[in-house]
Amino acid sequence: MASSISIHSMLIGVVIISSLIATCSANFYQDFDLTWGDHRAKIFNGGQLLSLSLDKVSGSGFQSKKEYLFGRIDMQLKLVAGNSAGTVTAYYLSSQGPTHDEIDFEFLGNVSGDPYILHTNVFSQGKGNREQQFYLWFDPTKNFHTYSIIWKPQHIIFLVDNIPIRMFKNAESVGVPFPKNQPMRIYSSLWNADDWATRGGLVKTDWSKAPFTAYYRNFKVTELSTVSSNSFSDSALQNNELDAYGRRRLRWVQKYFMIYNYCNDLKRFPQGIPAECRRSRF
C-alpha cells in the first residue's frame, strides 16, 4: 500500500498563493511561552528544540506569544516512543472563550507495536464534533515529521509531511460557521487522558514507563499579507491551493488511512449528516 509510493512522489503539489508573505523560521525562546508543567517543559539547543514531558504528577504545555489570523503553520514533532497508551500529544490553534474557534491535531498514544491515531477536529463558534481520525503510514516516534495547517478564509487543510490528509471547506453559504474572525494562538500539550484516549479508556497509562517525552523543532509560520477582502472573492485564489496531484494524495490518504469520519457516522446523526458533509470534498 504505502510502500508503493516512492519517496520523491510524496512531494505534494501544494501551491501557496502569492498573498502569503515569506516563511520565517522561529526560535522557541522568542516565539513561545512554557505555560505549565514546571521543569517538564524545556527549551534547549539555543532555542531550536523544545520538549514536553508527562509523569504521574503532571503533563506540560506551551503556547505562542503571538496570535495569527490565517496563514500556514508548520511544526516538526517526534512523538512519545514505546508504550504511549493513555497519553495525548495535542498541537492546535485556538482562540479563547465559549464561542472559541479551534483547529486540532491530537496524537492518541497506544501500546508498543500498535499505531498512533491522529485525531483532527475543527471548532467554529464553540462547536466541534467534526472529527476525522487516521493511522499514519510511518512510525512517528522514530524521526521528526512535519505537521501543518493551512488556514484561509476559503478552507482549512491539514497536512502530514506536506501530504494533505484533510480539507475542511468554508460552508457558510449553507449555514455552517467557519473560523475566520478570531485570531488564534498555537498551543501544544502532553497530558494523561487514559479515561478515553486508548481503546476508549480500556487501556490505561503505564506509569512505570514515565516520563513520557515528545520533541518539537523547526516551527515555521507563513502569515497572510494584508490584502483587500475583494482579493478573496477571486475564483483562482479559492481553488488553487491543491493541484491535481495534491487532490490525488488527499484521496489516497482518506482511502487507505482514514479510520473515522464524522460525515459517515449515520448513527451519530440520525436526523441527517451535517450540512458541510453534503458538499463536494474537493
Side-chain angles (χ1 to χ4, degrees), residues 83-281:
N83 185 353
S84 58
T87 71
V88 172
T89 305
Y91 157 54
Y92 59 102
L93 294 167
S94 183
S95 58
Q96 297 298 310
T99 59
H100 76 291
D101 295 336
E102 189 172 321
I103 305 170
D104 290 346
F105 278 112
E106 289 186 317
F107 303 90
L108 313 184
N110 217 329
V111 295
S112 298
D114 287 346
Y116 265 82
I117 291 175
L118 172 52
H119 177 99
T120 66
N121 204 352
V122 176
F123 287 74
S124 52
Q125 298 183 15
K127 181 181 181 298
N129 300 323
R130 301 183 178 99
E131 303 91 346
Q132 290 183 359
Q133 295 183 338
F134 305 84
Y135 287 140
L136 296 168
W137 49 95
F138 53 83
D139 183 344
T141 73
K142 297 295 186 184
N143 296 293
F144 284 91
H145 293 269
T146 304
Y147 303 91
S148 308
I149 294 166
I150 295 175
W151 174 29
K152 292 175 54 185
Q154 295 81 25
H155 51 233
I156 296 162
I157 303 175
F158 296 78
L159 305 100
V160 176
D161 288 339
N162 218 30
I163 297 173
I165 66 168
R166 177 177 184 179
M167 176 182 283
F168 182 80
K169 287 189 173 184
N170 185 326
E172 289 178 302
S173 61
V174 293
V176 180
F178 186 83
K180 69 173 189 179
N181 298 315
Q182 301 184 53
M184 296 194 263
R185 295 186 192 275
I186 302 162
Y187 296 86
S188 190
S189 58
L190 175 56
W191 49 290
N192 177 45
D194 66 3
D195 57 334
W196 66 271
T198 305
R199 295 185 59 201
L202 294 177
V203 181
K204 301 300 183 182
T205 304
D206 182 356
W207 293 112
S208 70
K209 301 295 192 296
F212 305 97
T213 304
Y215 297 90
Y216 302 75
R217 72 179 187 188
N218 290 346
F219 163 70
K220 296 179 183 178
V221 60
T222 309
E223 296 182 62
L224 281 172
S225 61
T226 302
V227 293
S228 69
S229 59
N230 290 337
S231 299
F232 293 124
S233 66
D234 185 277
S235 60
L237 292 183
Q238 294 187 28
N239 296 317
N240 72 351
E241 196 75 55
L242 292 178
D243 62 11
Y245 185 75
R247 292 191 295 272
R248 287 198 300 270
R249 293 300 87 210
L250 179 59
R251 287 191 290 266
W252 173 74
V253 171
Q254 294 190 342
K255 180 177 180 179
Y256 292 110
F257 298 99
M258 179 185 284
I259 59 173
Y260 178 79
N261 182 1
Y262 76 108
C263 286
N264 298 332
D265 194 342
L266 301 182
K267 291 183 179 179
R268 184 176 174 187
F269 302 105
Q271 303 305 315
I273 61 173
E276 68 269 20
C277 298
R278 296 191 288 270
R279 292 164 59 93
S280 170
R281 290 178 299 168

